[in-house]
Amino acid sequence: MTYPVDELVASLNPVHEDDVPASDEGARALLAVITAETAPAPRHRFRPRLRLRFAVAAAVAVAAAAALIILPARESGPLRSYANAAVRIEVTGDDEYAVEVKDAYADQREFREAFARFGLDVRLRIVPVSPGEERRVIRVGPLHAASGDLPAGGVTGTSDTDLKCPADQGACPLRVKLGGTMFHLEGADVVLGRTARPGELYQDTGPMPGDHPKSLRLTGRTVRQALTDLDRWGLTCTFFLGEFKPDLSGGGWDPPANWRPAGDRRITGAWMRSSNSVGLLVTPVKGDPEPVPVN
């Protein structure tokens, strides 16, 4: 039986036939006897325990790596901040959140999803507005009607928004503070203004008496004159039938899109609907289209 150490020692100083002096006949005879013997083949030990241990260790290592990839990190406390492609939200106090709008053109569901991370039923809408109204809070109100039994005396709540958007700043940091039972039952609908794309309808304008902006100068002109001016300016128009008092109370309805009043009727109000469209208000008379009932 040979062991690896025997082979190692034998290889350190091998003796060849040429190394034996010719005059030493006894040594040459001994060498001939030794080399005539068939060297036994080296035997290799099979060590199953060693291989088993290696296999177990490898399996443990793979499992540990998989755990590092698959297992999510545990939260060490309440969520303090969250961001996605549209918005970043940070908790700055009790029921107070600092919101930074990152992409005003993002899908509105991105904003809703971010607030939901904090357990808030809040919809933050970024809507196109008329020039000069960008980066302002357009409206704050309840998101939906309260359902279920209301507490005695109804529900109360407070909201406060502070939007600071310098003209040279791309993002709009918005601080929203919500509190009270109202926002747990009704949620909050926060609407901000952004620059409209060409042709996008403005969300902050609508039927009202007078010219908005005043540079339109269409109020008091006949429908025929107004259409001539708009055609010269390269603008389209939509009519609205209605009446408004000086305090802006009143209302009206939209006639069919292709309807046009007689050319001699007077325009009582005009407003920019988009970068290439104007709304025209006329007082309804007998024979005009009736309002469509709301289901």
Side-chain angles (χ1 to χ4, degrees):
M1 177 181 300
T2 62
Y3 294 88
V5 67
D6 300 327
E7 298 175 13
L8 177 63
V9 173
S11 65
L12 293 178
N13 188 20
V15 179
H16 302 284
E17 184 177 357
D18 297 337
D19 297 334
V20 180
S23 61
D24 194 344
E25 294 297 329
R28 183 173 296 278
L30 179 59
L31 177 61
V33 173
I34 294 173
T35 56
E37 295 288 336
T38 302
R43 298 175 63 184
H44 300 283
R45 283 186 169 182
F46 178 69
R47 300 178 181 179
R49 288 187 179 181
L50 179 60
R51 294 186 179 181
L52 179 60
R53 289 172 184 169
F54 176 79
V56 172
V60 171
V62 172
L68 289 176
I69 296 173
I70 298 172
L71 295 180
R74 294 184 177 181
E75 295 289 344
S76 58
L79 186 64
R80 303 297 301 176
S81 66
Y82 175 76
N84 57 24
V87 64
R88 176 180 177 82
I89 302 176
E90 291 188 3
V91 179
T92 58
D94 294 337
D95 288 330
E96 185 174 344
Y97 304 87
V99 181
E100 179 184 354
V101 177
K102 298 164 63 178
D103 181 6
Y105 297 96
D107 190 318
Q108 301 303 318
R109 289 174 294 186
E110 295 278 355
F111 298 107
R112 192 76 177 270
E113 182 265 344
F115 279 103
R117 292 276 182 160
F118 298 89
L120 296 173
D121 188 13
V122 176
R123 179 175 64 184
L124 176 62
R125 291 188 292 149
I126 316 295
V127 300
V129 293
S130 55
E133 297 300 315
E134 305 91 342
R135 301 170 177 262
R136 296 183 183 179
V137 178
I138 305 303
R139 183 171 59 258
V140 178
L143 181 59
H144 48 72
S147 59
D149 296 332
L150 298 179
V155 295
T156 60
T158 59
S159 67
D160 179 52
T161 59
D162 180 21
L163 178 64
K164 296 180 179 179
C165 284
D168 58 348
Q169 184 171 319
C172 296
L174 168 68
R175 184 178 297 276
V176 181
K177 186 175 181 180
L178 306 174
T181 309
M182 181 175 70
F183 292 103
H184 294 287
L185 297 176
E186 299 178 349
D189 185 28
V190 182
V191 185
L192 306 180
R194 64 163 170 80
T195 302
R197 297 186 182 98
E200 254 189 324
L201 294 179
Y202 303 142
Q203 300 297 305
D204 63 325
T205 62
M208 62 183 74
D211 292 303
H212 304 275
K214 293 186 180 300
S215 58
L216 283 176
R217 299 178 182 177
L218 295 174
T219 298
R221 297 176 69 81
T222 65
V223 169
R224 184 179 298 106
Q225 292 171 330
L227 292 178
T228 299
D229 289 341
L230 293 176
D231 184 64
R232 186 172 66 253
W233 300 337
L235 300 174
T236 61
C237 72
T238 297
F239 287 92
F240 186 86
L241 289 167
E243 288 187 275
F244 293 88
K245 298 179 180 179
D247 62 358
L248 298 184
S249 62
W253 61 93
D254 292 302
N258 59 353
W259 178 80
R260 292 289 183 270
D264 58 351
R265 292 175 64 173
R266 296 287 173 175
I267 302 297
T268 59
W271 65 97
M272 291 299 301
R273 299 176 66 247
S274 68
S275 60
N276 58 5
S277 175
V278 172
L280 298 175
L281 175 66
V282 294
T283 303
V285 297
K286 186 178 180 180
D288 285 344
E290 297 291 333
V292 177
V294 178
N295 296 329

